[in-house]
Amino acid sequence: MFSKAFIRLNWITLVLIFLVIIAGSVVRTSGSGMGCPDWPKCFGNWVPPTSEAQLPKDYRQVYGEKRVKKVEKFAKFLAALGMKETAEKIKNDPRTYQEEAFNAQRTWTEYGNRLVGFLSGNGVLIIFLWGFWKYRKDKRFVWLSLLNLIAIILNAWFGSIVVATNLVPWTITVHMFLALLVVCLQLMLLRRISPVNQKTLNLPVAMKWLIGIILVITAYQMFLGTQVREYIDQLTMQGLGRESWTSRFGWAFFIHRSFSWAVLGMMIFLVFLNYKTDKVRSVYWAFLVLIVELIGGVLLAYADMPGLVQVSHLLCASVLFGILFMQFIRLKPLSKGISRSSIRE
């Protein structure tokens, strides 16, 4: 039913979505989140400047005024949702309105993030249009692709909120989890169209439960990881060095660390059970990714490692989540009425 080219496009788009997560992590670890003070353009242009001489002298004031208007709109939106306290906190925080001086390296780092986001967004858009044009008989696929398109547009819009509020910590967390939602939806699409992933995993009950539990804990671990990162940002702004971080970490860090070892133990047991049945090769890949992620986490907590380790840590967590999610949705057969894909040459 689905052509090879269409399946290939879906896999490429999935890779681009993961690249967006990587790019976002690079932006955060390099402090480039405010490299572009506006959105979707960067300093009013589709291609950002390379030097401050290309900008008007009062550019910080101009974008500061625009920021005030965006923050007020977002605050009204939050208040309408019943989050009046949060809205007032954002509006009254002076850090929300701080404008950074131009930095070419940070600007182009943020621009690269937006460029990858643009490519992944277009991939999702093409998938929807192509699927609606040629494969609309599979209504579930069409609805999933439409939902994915809405999700990635929503995430792009929320990216503008992250910029407008000058990187309010919780907005960054929401931004990342919206990206994971797009990953999940894209994997669900691949489950429907990829012949290999259409096969239902007939596993022992213990393996099914382990996959589900590890998936839930991994998602929670990613949330805790963002909390730890936000706390580190706060300590850094207070001028506190790495040597004092561990003693000041709150409950999130210690739960995050403890759950990591719990996941490792459950994953070892899952690998053992899988070795006896040899049914799911991706379990071994998940275990390998987990080991790399744990090594990165140890280096981040106890060694003065560069931002590259932070990026790889988030990437491994995202890939692990993706592998587990694909395994989880393959535990249940595809809906009736959808024939297996016959791949056209």
Side-chain angles (χ1 to χ4, degrees), residues 4-281:
K4 282 185 176 180
F6 187 67
I7 296 173
R8 191 177 298 116
L9 172 63
N10 275 267
W11 280 111
I12 292 173
T13 301
L14 178 64
V15 172
L16 287 172
I17 294 169
F18 276 112
L19 286 177
V20 172
I21 295 174
I22 296 173
S25 181
V26 171
V27 165
R28 188 169 190 184
T29 55
S30 63
S32 303
M34 294 306 298
C36 295
D38 50 342
W39 188 95
K41 294 184 178 181
C42 187
F43 288 101
N45 299 299
W46 292 112
V47 178
T50 55
S51 68
E52 192 171 359
Q54 297 174 271
L55 298 170
K57 293 182 179 180
D58 61 343
Y59 74 91
R60 296 177 74 173
Q61 179 182 348
V62 171
Y63 290 110
E65 293 172 353
K66 292 181 178 180
R67 184 186 306 282
V68 171
K69 294 179 180 178
K70 288 184 178 180
V71 170
E72 288 179 350
K73 289 182 180 179
F74 183 55
K76 289 181 180 178
F77 174 72
L78 291 177
L81 295 177
M83 302 171 64
K84 293 182 179 180
E85 185 177 343
T86 302
E88 289 300 318
K89 186 176 180 181
I90 291 175
K91 284 178 62 177
N92 298 326
D93 189 346
R95 291 175 296 181
T96 303
Y97 306 100
Q98 291 176 356
E99 287 295 327
E100 294 185 3
F102 176 80
N103 182 305
Q105 182 176 349
R106 291 182 177 181
T107 293
W108 280 85
T109 300
E110 168 60 16
Y111 179 70
N113 176 38
R114 296 185 182 188
L115 183 60
V116 176
F118 173 78
L119 293 175
S120 64
N122 276 277
V124 172
L125 174 61
I126 294 171
I127 288 170
F128 169 70
L129 295 175
W130 190 346
F132 185 79
W133 171 56
K134 209 161 188 180
Y135 307 115
R136 58 180 175 270
K137 289 184 179 180
D138 188 339
K139 293 182 179 180
R140 189 172 294 247
F141 176 85
V142 172
W143 281 110
L144 275 174
S145 60
L146 175 60
L147 185 59
N148 202 21
L149 179 60
I150 294 172
I152 204 165
I153 291 173
L154 177 63
N155 198 27
W157 168 77
F158 206 84
S160 71
I161 298 301
V162 173
V163 173
T165 56
N166 207 349
L167 311 179
V168 171
W170 68 266
T171 62
I172 301 174
T173 301
V174 173
H175 191 43
M176 188 198 74
F177 273 90
L178 284 173
L180 286 180
L181 172 62
V182 175
V183 169
C184 290
L185 291 169
Q186 187 61 35
L187 287 171
M188 291 173 72
L189 290 172
L190 283 164
R191 163 79 163 113
R192 298 195 70 79
I193 69 175
S194 175
V196 174
N197 292 315
Q198 284 180 339
K199 298 176 182 177
T200 304
L201 295 178
N202 187 19
L203 302 177
V205 175
M207 289 187 67
K208 291 181 179 180
W209 274 99
L210 276 174
I211 290 173
I213 293 171
I214 296 172
L215 174 63
V216 172
I217 294 179
T218 299
Y220 185 56
Q221 280 286 77
M222 295 185 73
F223 170 74
L224 290 176
T226 61
Q227 302 304 300
V228 172
R229 182 63 202 175
E230 289 172 10
Y231 195 56
I232 288 175
D233 290 342
Q234 293 175 9
L235 294 176
T236 302
M237 285 190 293
Q238 295 172 17
L240 298 173
R242 178 180 291 272
E243 64 280 356
S244 64
W245 288 357
T246 305
S247 61
R248 295 175 180 268
F249 279 144
W251 60 269
F253 171 75
F254 297 104
I255 295 178
H256 185 62
R257 183 179 62 183
S258 301
F259 274 19
S260 297
W261 297 115
V263 170
L264 177 61
M266 287 186 286
M267 185 62 77
I268 291 174
F269 188 42
L270 181 62
V271 168
F272 171 73
L273 293 176
N274 189 65
Y275 179 75
K276 294 174 65 177
T277 59
D278 197 26
K279 287 189 174 183
V280 192
R281 291 185 179 181

Side-chain angles (χ1 to χ4, degrees), residues 306-321:
L308 182 61
V309 176
Q310 297 179 22
V311 176
S312 64
H313 187 60
L314 177 60
L315 174 61
C316 287
S318 302
V319 171
L320 176 62
F321 176 83

